[in-house]
Structure formats: C-alpha cells, structure tokens
C-alpha cells in the first residue's frame, strides 16, 4: 500500500512539474512594416475610337478602366517572443546534465579570474546559464530548432487616408460589339485595344453594321454597355455602295476596273481601304502583264 501511495505521489509530482513548466524565453522580435488597405469606391470605363470622326472604314478601339480607390496606409508594429516550449520528459537528462555542469561552471569562472580577463566572460556565463537552466525542473534548455513564436503585441497606426484615381488598360478582356441583330466578340490586347473594320478586304474581318447604332459592351456578366455611336445614313449608304463596288470588281477583275474602284473608294472617304485594295491586287496580279498595263494605262488618263 505504501508503495502504491508512493507511486501515486511521484506521479502527481511529475504531473505538477509538467503542468508548471514554462517556455524558455530566447529573445524578442520587434518588427515595423507598412501596410496598405485599398478599397475600390467606383469604376467606369473610357472608350476611344481612332480616328474620332466616323468617316473611315476601319477604326482602332481603345478601352481604359478608371477606378476611384481609397488608400489607407498603416504603420504596423509587431512584437513576438521567441521561446523554447517546455517538455517535461527532457528533464530526465537535462537535470543530471545541469548538475554535472555545475563544477565546470565554477572552474570556468576561476579560470576567468586567473586569466585576468583574457578568457572572454561569455564562456563561463554561458556554461553557468546552461547548468542552472538544466537543474531547473520547470525549464528546458534553449533550442532554436524547437523554438516557437508567440505574439506579444500588435499595433496599427494610420499614416494617411487618400483617394487615388487609377487608369489602366482594359487588357485581355472580351468586348461585344452590336449593331442591330448582329454581334461579335473581340478580345483586347495588352493595351486594351482592338481593330474594328466596318468594311475590310477580308469578309472574316468585316463587321458590317446592320443598324445606325453600334454599341460596345463588356462580355463578362453582368454585361455593361461602355459606349455607343450613331452612324449617319450617309455613312451607311457609302459603306453599302462601296461594298457593292468591291464585289463587282472581284466578279470581273481587270487593271482598269481596279483603278476605277480605288478612285471610287477615295472619293467616298475610304482612302486606307482603297490603298489596301490597290496594293493587294497589284501584288496578286504581279505576273499578269495585261492587268498591270491596263492599270497603268488607266492611271495615266
């Protein structure tokens, strides 16, 4: 019975030691940093066509995203304690080791005294700290490998509160262009732009408007109209007759008809389209001498 009581008492003491143990403080970490808190207050988009006056057949569209952002800057100071957490089972070897280090500690202090300070005092001090820490059953030796960080305090101080207006390209986004019952998706480049051709030499590149209103909207839901333009009836008529003129040339291509078509395009304000048609066709027919002579002859009249 006495043996059992002794075991229970020993176990209780061990539990008390483990429960009463505390982490061995190594050092404090004091860190000061700056933190930005950004909140978007409003967003709008700016869409620009080049050229601005609607008279050409092709346009470059550029979209910019404009944000009003509230920016709060804080100074953040954090203090953390680096400790070696207590593990009671380590006292099995730390306590005896601490006792054995005690005479070594005394000897190192005597050596320091005898050397008249030649021996750095940090050496006997470190041995003494190690010895007394080891002999303390409620404290483990310091260990960087087992160390933990504990937050001691966190202080945030506001440095500034301002509103910034930020403009960025609406890059790599899908845009829907609509005209009447027609619609087509375009993807903006890295600068937020894409080319829109109301009439082009390639049918695949042409977005021929079927109504006077042409709208530009974001494709991502919720869909948002960015801008719309109204085409004049005169402009639509010129587009229609120009397309017919180009198709008529393609049905019966000749050098004189090419020159006539180019002149027609230029008179209707589509100089760039006329130039592209001329260069493309002259290159395509470069081996056709009669075609080239007919074109040159028509140009000299």
């Amino acid at each position: 019975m006495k043996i059992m009581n002794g075991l229970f008492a020993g176990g209780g003491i061990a539990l008390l030691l483990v429960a009463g143990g505390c982490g061995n403080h190594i050092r404090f970490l004091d860190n000061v940093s700056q933190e930005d808190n950004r909140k978007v207050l409003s967003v709008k988009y700016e869409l620009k066509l080049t050229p601005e006056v609607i008279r050409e057949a092709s346009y470059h569209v550029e979209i910019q995203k404009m944000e009003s952002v509230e920016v709060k800057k804080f100074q953040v100071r954090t203090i953390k304690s680096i400790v070696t957490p207590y593990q009671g089972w380590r006292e099995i070897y730390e306590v005896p080791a601490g006792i054995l280090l005690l005479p070594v500690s005394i000897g190192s202090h005597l050596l320091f005294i005898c050397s008249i300070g030649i021996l750095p005092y940090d050496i006997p001090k470190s041995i003494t700290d190690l010895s007394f820490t080891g002999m303390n059953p409620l404290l483990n030796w310091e260990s960087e490998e087992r160390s933990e960080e504990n937050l001691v305090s966190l202080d945030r101080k506001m440095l500034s509160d301002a509103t910034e207006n930020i403009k960025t390209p609406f890059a790599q986004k899908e845009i829907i262009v609509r005209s009447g019952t027609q619609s087509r998706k375009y993807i903006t480049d890295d600068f937020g732009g894409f080319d829109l051709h109301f009439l082009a030499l390639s049918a695949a590149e042409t977005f021929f408007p079927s109504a006077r209103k042409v709208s530009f909207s974001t494709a991502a839901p919720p869909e948002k109209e960015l801008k719309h333009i109204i085409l004049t009836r005169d402009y639509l008529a010129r587009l229609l007759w120009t397309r017919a003129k180009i198709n008529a040339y393609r049905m019966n291509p000749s050098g004189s008809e090419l020159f006539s078509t180019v002149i027609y395009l230029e008179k209707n304000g589509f100089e760039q389209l006329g130039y592209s048609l001329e260069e493309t066709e002259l290159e395509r027919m470069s081996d056709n001498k009669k075609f080239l002579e007919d074109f040159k002859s028509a140009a000299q009249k």
Side-chain angles (χ1 to χ4, degrees), residues 26-73:
I26 299 177
R27 63 183 178 277
F28 284 109
L29 288 180
D30 192 340
N31 182 54
V32 178
S33 61
Q34 186 169 301
E35 180 182 295
D36 291 350
N37 188 342
R38 308 174 74 86
K39 179 181 178 182
V40 178
L41 302 177
S42 62
V43 179
K44 68 177 184 178
Y45 300 88
E46 181 182 73
L47 188 147
K48 180 182 179 182
L49 271 72
T50 305
E52 295 181 2
V53 179
I54 305 297
R55 62 181 299 272
E56 294 283 350
S58 300
Y59 297 86
H60 182 70
V61 182
E62 192 171 282
I63 304 171
Q64 299 284 329
K65 182 179 182 181
M66 296 184 293
E67 295 177 302
S68 177
V69 182
E70 181 184 48
V71 182
K72 294 182 179 180
K73 294 185 178 181

Side-chain angles (χ1 to χ4, degrees), residues 28-29 76-82 148-155:
F28 284 109
L29 288 180
V76 182
R77 182 183 182 188
T78 57
I79 299 177
K80 295 180 180 180
S81 174
I82 309 299
E148 295 179 350
E149 293 184 2
N150 295 324
L151 183 64
V152 176
S153 65
L154 174 63
D155 181 48

Side-chain angles (χ1 to χ4, degrees), residues 29-260:
L29 288 180
D30 192 340
N31 182 54
V32 178
S33 61
Q34 186 169 301
E35 180 182 295
D36 291 350
N37 188 342
R38 308 174 74 86
K39 179 181 178 182
V40 178
L41 302 177
S42 62
V43 179
K44 68 177 184 178
Y45 300 88
E46 181 182 73
L47 188 147
K48 180 182 179 182
L49 271 72
T50 305
E52 295 181 2
V53 179
I54 305 297
R55 62 181 299 272
E56 294 283 350
S58 300
Y59 297 86
H60 182 70
V61 182
E62 192 171 282
I63 304 171
Q64 299 284 329
K65 182 179 182 181
M66 296 184 293
E67 295 177 302
S68 177
V69 182
E70 181 184 48
V71 182
K72 294 182 179 180
K73 294 185 178 181
F74 297 89
Q75 178 180 281
V76 182
R77 182 183 182 188
T78 57
I79 299 177
K80 295 180 180 180
S81 174
I82 309 299
V83 299
T84 302
Y86 181 76
Q87 293 178 335
W89 66 268
R90 294 183 182 274
E91 298 302 326
I92 296 173
Y93 66 86
E94 287 187 2
V95 171
I99 294 173
L100 292 175
L101 282 173
L102 184 59
V104 178
S105 171
I106 296 172
S108 64
H109 279 278
L110 291 174
L111 184 60
F112 170 74
I113 294 171
C114 294
S115 67
I116 317 175
I118 296 176
L119 178 69
Y121 181 69
D122 287 345
I123 295 176
K125 181 179 181 302
S126 298
I127 297 174
T128 302
D129 291 343
L130 198 62
S131 174
F132 278 90
T133 301
M135 289 188 294
N136 187 342
L138 303 182
L139 203 63
N140 285 155
W141 279 334
E142 290 182 6
S143 173
E144 291 287 351
E145 294 181 355
R146 295 199 303 117
S147 64
E148 295 179 350
E149 293 184 2
N150 295 324
L151 183 64
V152 176
S153 65
L154 174 63
D155 181 48
R156 297 173 81 247
K157 178 183 178 182
M158 184 182 291
L159 300 177
S160 64
D161 183 359
T163 301
E164 296 181 0
N165 294 318
I166 302 173
K167 181 185 288 188
T168 56
F170 198 54
Q172 299 299 322
K173 303 294 183 181
E174 286 189 342
I175 300 297
I176 299 177
V177 181
R178 284 193 175 88
S179 176
T181 57
Q182 296 190 96
S183 67
R184 180 179 292 186
K185 285 186 179 180
Y186 294 85
I187 299 178
T188 59
D189 59 22
D190 292 338
F191 299 96
F194 65 93
D195 292 323
L196 175 65
H197 305 284
F198 288 138
L199 186 58
L201 299 182
S202 169
E205 295 180 357
T206 299
F207 180 78
F208 199 89
S210 60
R212 295 180 63 194
K213 181 179 178 180
V214 179
S215 65
F216 303 82
S217 306
T218 56
E223 188 176 319
K224 177 182 176 62
E225 183 180 88
L226 306 179
K227 186 176 182 177
H228 69 266
I229 56 175
I230 304 299
L231 307 178
T232 65
R233 293 196 176 277
D234 175 69
Y235 178 78
L236 284 176
R238 285 189 290 114
L239 277 180
L240 187 64
W241 283 106
T242 299
R243 182 174 65 173
K245 185 70 173 176
I246 293 174
N247 290 338
Y249 160 76
R250 284 175 171 167
M251 290 178 65
N252 187 25
S254 67
S256 58
E257 186 62 26
L258 173 61
F259 182 80
S260 173

